[in-house]
Amino acid sequence: MKGGIGGALPAKRRWKGLIVAVLGLVFLSLLVPLVFLLGLHNSFHSSGYTTTQQSSASGGLRIYGLHNTAKIENQSKDFGGNIIVSEAENKTAGSTLLDGFPKERLGANSTDVGEFTEQKQSTDVGDITQKKQSTDVGDVTKKKQSTDVGDFIQRNQSTDVGEFTKQKQSTDVGAMHAATENIKDIDESEKLCELKFGSYCLWHRNHKEKVSDFTVRKMKDLLYVARAYYPSIAKLPAYDKLSREMKQNIQEFERVLSVTTVDKDLPPLIDPKLTKMEAVIAQAKACRVDCSNVDKKFRQLLDLTEDEATFHMRQSAFLYQVAVQTMPKSHHCLSMRLTVEYFRDPPPDIDQSLAERHLNPDLHHFVIFSSNVLASSAVINSTVTHAKESENQVFHVVTDKQNYFAMKLWFSRNKYMETTVEVLNIEDHKLENNNASTSIHLSLPEEYRVSFHKVDRPPTTEYLSVFSHSHYLLPEIFPSLEKVVVLDDDIIVQKDLSVLWDINMDGKVNGAVQCCSVRLIQLRKLFADKRLDETSCAWMSGLNIVDLARWREQDISGRYLKLVTEMKSEETVALRASLLTFQGEVYALDDKWVLSGLGHKYGVHTEAVKNAGVLHFNGNMKPWLELGIRDYTFFWRKFLNQENQFLSDCNIN
């Protein structure tokens, strides 16, 4: 009996051990997923918010077409594209600069959307890049989990969001740590901004408005922090008093902010309320609460802030492009009034002696392609003013049918010393040219922004302007002339140009100022299998001496048309075809002749502007626009006749 009993006990023990083991496995199978979901949730969540978009800053050659962005006709000269070249790699990829704006993702989160929108719209764009670029993105994510979240959001909300968004979009998270060691200066961050948003970033930096709602924004920051902590504090019975104080302060701030947008509208005793709210928040931070809820609240706010900042930055850049590509209302008024006056009181027919001057090859002939009455008038007035012998000068203004009559009346009633001005409608040329199978339209000089990436340095940007399709009709429009000087309508002449006719161009076709910081070999990906001269530099339109006799011998127009037919992309066809057409046919003028960049470059010394022979306002910020750089527009406006009745009627001053 003892033996039987002794044998049964070990068997029972074995069964009990198996049952315990099975129950333990079942418990672990339930516990491990639960721990995984609860314990590691924050780490997965945080990584989701540190993902950034890879942009052009990562390398490669990308072309951003601004024509496809704006979808409007350019009344002034707009940028044909943005070409980005990297030293690290030469892969090509197409993209658009502003290919649509991110939709506002509001309402799905528990954050107060109304207050967030007000806070985002009242936030100034400026400082967070300096703070964000000196910190590793990965460390920031860890810090948000392991430190007090309230302090981080206070710092994040009290600084600028826009620059951080631009940095977030223009860098890759994987290479962020290495990039932040090199990008420490605000000028470098502005170059990255210019790379993505063009000259809008330069304009925005120089037109910041004074902050009039500093205290209001501080109140909104404190309100967000208090709202984030209040749900967790309210659940703890031990902190009933603190919960009531926090609720009271939140309601008071909501009442004040509902009727206030700027500091001057705040009640007189607002400082004690700010101090009281800060003290309540400090007490809440000292409490041991469930930080996961607070963390989620702040992450929702951060996500919304980043999306809103991106949206507003893109929207602002788009509106800026619309502003610079649209004819001002006052200029449109001038063109319409001149056109109406032309048909009401047409000018007399041109004198026969003046018609003979238009065809006389012994005179100094200037050609201007323009659809802007005031711009072409300023060019002619400045050229004649500084000419030693204005009677030898003849100006040919080539325009389109829409502006032809306004131009005709303006130059018939405004005299420029002893010079002669002829206005031509380029669309009439089709009637005289029987070989033309397509209609001819006026196209103005094309402008491009070329950005070069450096492996260990911030990108550098150059602005190029080249001939348009209309320029290649010069030999047909002026069959009796052998040499002309082509002027863009965004220049101002400050020196006698008669010496240009004495320059020996050594058989070259085009005398132009070269831009050797951009060489054709650097743009080789644009030219596919074309043969390039490694020493050839890009050249600039604006002031060009054109030998029409040599042009006809070399069949420059035919060469250009052949290249245009071979090239498919419309965004950069003018740049590529022009650079290849004149490869080896450019005579380099002295750089002292032209000072370029006055339409996009801030900080040019006044003495340099005064001493330049020709001022070229290439860039988006033309001198006749309100967006023009004020330090330089004086040199353009002084060549306008402010006493002209048409200018007064249209409020052009």
Side-chain angles (χ1 to χ4, degrees):
M1 292 294 294
K2 290 182 180 180
I5 295 174
L9 289 176
K12 291 182 178 180
R13 289 173 183 169
R14 286 196 298 271
W15 279 107
K16 288 182 179 180
L18 291 174
I19 293 173
V20 171
V22 171
L23 292 176
L25 290 176
V26 172
F27 178 76
L28 289 176
S29 64
L30 297 175
L31 180 62
V32 170
L34 184 62
V35 172
F36 179 80
L37 293 175
L38 296 180
L40 299 182
H41 172 70
N42 286 336
S43 61
F44 286 108
H45 188 65
S46 63
S47 64
Y49 286 96
T50 57
T51 303
T52 60
Q53 284 184 330
Q54 182 181 5
S55 73
S56 56
S58 61
L61 183 150
R62 299 186 181 183
I63 301 172
Y64 295 85
L66 301 188
H67 290 297
N68 295 336
T69 299
K71 299 294 184 183
I72 58 176
E73 291 187 5
N74 182 3
Q75 297 296 338
S76 63
K77 291 178 292 187
D78 68 340
F79 284 29
N82 172 26
I83 303 173
I84 305 176
V85 181
S86 172
E87 291 183 350
E89 54 180 325
N90 286 318
K91 298 178 182 178
T92 59
S95 180
T96 55
L97 181 62
L98 300 173
D99 53 354
F101 305 132
K103 298 180 179 179
E104 295 178 284
R105 290 181 291 176
L106 304 178
N109 300 290
S110 58
T111 306
D112 187 350
V113 178
E115 290 294 336
F116 169 76
T117 305
E118 293 179 6
Q119 195 268 345
K120 177 63 198 75
Q121 291 178 346
S122 63
T123 302
D124 185 29
V125 179
D127 301 323
I128 200 168
T129 300
Q130 299 178 15
K131 182 176 295 184
K132 280 292 182 183
Q133 288 180 342
S134 62
T135 308
D136 191 350
V137 174
D139 292 338
V140 170
T141 305
K142 296 177 183 178
K143 185 183 296 182
K144 287 191 291 183
Q145 295 176 351
S146 61
T147 60
D148 194 318
V149 183
D151 289 336
F152 171 75
I153 291 297
Q154 282 187 323
R155 293 197 302 271
N156 195 9
Q157 288 184 335
S158 61
T159 53
D160 182 276
V161 184
E163 289 294 331
F164 170 70
T165 303
K166 290 180 282 184
Q167 173 69 15
K168 180 173 180 291
Q169 288 186 334
S170 60
T171 52
D172 182 36
V173 174
M176 182 68 176
H177 182 65
T180 50
E181 295 179 356
N182 297 325
I183 307 176
K184 297 179 180 180
D185 191 86
I186 186 63
D187 293 334
E188 297 178 357
S189 64
E190 287 295 340
K191 290 181 179 179
L192 293 175
C193 176
E194 182 184 1
L195 182 67
K196 184 170 184 59
F197 295 104
S199 55
Y200 162 75
C201 296
L202 302 176
W203 176 85
H204 180 272
R205 183 183 62 184
N206 288 271
H207 291 80
K208 287 185 178 179
E209 297 180 357
K210 293 183 179 180
V211 178
S212 60
D213 58 348
F214 178 80
T215 305
V216 172
R217 284 189 287 162
K218 183 177 180 180
M219 292 181 64
K220 291 179 180 179
D221 293 341
L222 294 175
L223 181 60
Y224 279 125
V225 177
R227 283 174 172 169
Y229 275 96
Y230 176 73
S232 299
I233 297 294
K235 294 178 181 179
L236 303 177
Y239 299 106
D240 288 342
K241 182 179 179 181
L242 177 60
S243 176
R244 289 193 300 271
E245 292 180 359
M246 185 172 289
K247 181 179 181 180
Q248 181 181 358
N249 281 274
I250 290 174
Q251 291 175 345
E252 181 66 20
F253 270 48
E254 288 176 342
R255 184 187 64 80
V256 174
L257 292 175
S258 64
V259 295
T260 304
T261 56
V262 292
D263 292 351
K264 66 179 182 179
D265 298 332
L266 290 171
L269 300 177
I270 195 63
D271 291 337
K273 296 180 180 179
L274 285 172
T275 304
K276 188 177 180 181
M277 175 66 92
E278 290 174 348
V280 169
I281 292 176
Q283 295 180 39
K285 293 178 181 178
C287 299
R288 292 188 176 183
V289 297
D290 185 6
C291 291
S292 61
N293 293 332
V294 180
D295 179 65
K296 291 177 183 178
K297 196 81 170 179
F298 285 145
R299 290 184 190 284
Q300 291 172 357
L301 176 63
L302 181 61
D303 186 33
L304 285 172
T305 302
E306 293 173 355
D307 289 346
E308 279 291 292
T310 302
F311 169 77
H312 287 294
M313 197 64 185
R314 288 177 177 267
Q315 186 183 56
S316 299
F318 173 77
L319 294 176
Y320 168 84
Q321 290 293 336
V322 172
V324 299
Q325 295 179 14
T326 304
M327 177 181 290
K329 180 179 179 181
S330 57
H331 288 234
H332 181 73
C333 166
L334 176 64
S335 179
M336 293 298 99
R337 282 181 174 268
L338 290 173
T339 302
V340 171
E341 185 65 20
Y342 177 90
F343 289 102
R344 179 183 300 170
D345 184 17
D349 294 336
I350 188 172
D351 188 86
Q352 183 62 29
S353 60
L354 295 180
E356 293 178 357
R357 286 173 56 86
H358 297 164
L359 304 176
N360 188 352
D362 297 329
L363 300 179
H364 296 168
H365 293 265
F366 298 87
V367 180
I368 304 172
F369 291 88
S370 177
S371 59
N372 191 320
V373 176
L374 284 184
S376 54
S377 176
V379 174
I380 296 175
N381 194 15
S382 64
T383 306
V384 173
T385 301
H386 296 91
K388 295 180 180 179
E389 298 178 351
S390 61
E391 64 274 8
N392 292 333
Q393 294 180 333
V394 179
F395 288 87
H396 306 271
V397 181
V398 183
T399 186
D400 53 11
K401 185 177 182 180
Q402 179 180 350
N403 297 279
Y404 173 74
F405 301 106
M407 291 268 197
K408 195 80 171 176
L409 182 73
W410 177 269
F411 289 110
S412 66
R413 294 191 179 183
N414 293 274
K415 302 301 179 183
Y416 303 89
M417 295 188 181
E418 300 177 3
T419 191
T420 304
V421 180
E422 179 190 21
V423 180
L424 299 173
N425 180 7
I426 195 171
E427 297 179 22
D428 289 342
H429 180 68
K430 174 186 175 182
L431 302 177
E432 301 174 2
N433 185 2
N434 296 327
N435 296 327
S437 58
T438 58
S439 59
I440 299 175
H441 300 283
L442 177 69
S443 57
L444 303 178
E446 300 280 355
E447 293 188 350
Y448 297 86
R449 188 176 77 244
V450 183
S451 297
F452 290 94
H453 276 258
K454 308 293 183 181
V455 175
D456 56 347
R457 285 174 291 175
T460 58
T461 303
E462 296 290 346
Y463 288 74
L464 300 179
S465 56
V466 295
F467 285 169
S468 68
H469 302 303
S470 298
H471 287 74
Y472 293 92
L473 298 174
L474 282 171
E476 299 182 37
I477 298 176
F478 306 103
S480 63
L481 302 182
E482 296 182 355
K483 179 180 287 189
V484 297
V485 171
V486 181
L487 304 176
D488 287 358
D489 65 355
D490 59 350
I491 71 165
I492 288 295
V493 178
Q494 300 186 131
K495 184 178 180 181
D496 181 26
L497 300 184
S498 60
V499 295
L500 295 177
W501 269 263
D502 298 330
I503 295 178
N504 181 11
M505 295 201 302
D506 299 328
K508 304 296 184 181
V509 176
N510 183 9
V513 174
Q514 290 188 325
C515 180
C516 285
S517 59
V518 181
R519 296 183 179 273
L520 267 63
I521 195 66
Q522 294 174 295
L523 305 175
R524 56 185 175 274
K525 286 297 180 181
L526 291 177
F527 303 114
D529 56 346
K530 303 295 182 182
R531 297 184 60 182
L532 300 175
D533 183 1
E534 296 185 1
T535 61
S536 294
C537 300
W539 54 273
M540 297 278 290
S541 68
L543 174 68
N544 301 90
I545 310 172
V546 177
D547 187 342
L548 291 179
R550 180 71 175 170
W551 184 305
R552 297 183 184 96
E553 293 177 3
Q554 296 295 322
D555 191 20
I556 297 297
S557 298
R559 189 186 307 178
Y560 173 80
L561 292 175
K562 181 180 179 181
L563 289 171
V564 169
T565 304
E566 295 175 356
M567 298 177 179
K568 298 180 180 180
S569 174
E570 296 182 359
E571 291 181 339
T572 59
V573 63
L575 175 67
R576 293 183 292 162
S578 292
L579 293 179
L580 285 178
T581 298
F582 287 101
Q583 185 178 207
E585 297 291 346
V586 176
Y587 174 83
L589 296 178
D590 193 337
D591 293 342
K592 297 179 180 179
W593 268 107
V594 181
L595 177 63
S596 300
L598 300 184
H600 68 88
K601 188 185 300 181
Y602 287 90
V604 179
H605 200 275
T606 306
E607 290 300 320
V609 178
K610 292 180 179 179
N611 297 330
V614 175
L615 304 179
H616 192 189
F617 293 85
N618 62 313
N620 269 359
M621 293 173 275
K622 302 300 184 184
W624 53 83
L625 300 175
E626 293 184 4
L627 298 177
I629 303 177
R630 298 174 183 176
D631 294 340
Y632 317 138
T633 54
F634 164 77
F635 297 93
W636 184 85
R637 291 186 177 275
K638 68 180 182 179
F639 292 103
L640 298 181
N641 182 10
Q642 300 292 346
E643 299 178 357
N644 186 283
Q645 185 62 40
F646 289 104
L647 300 187
S648 301
D649 294 342
C650 292
N651 196 27
I652 298 177
N653 48 46

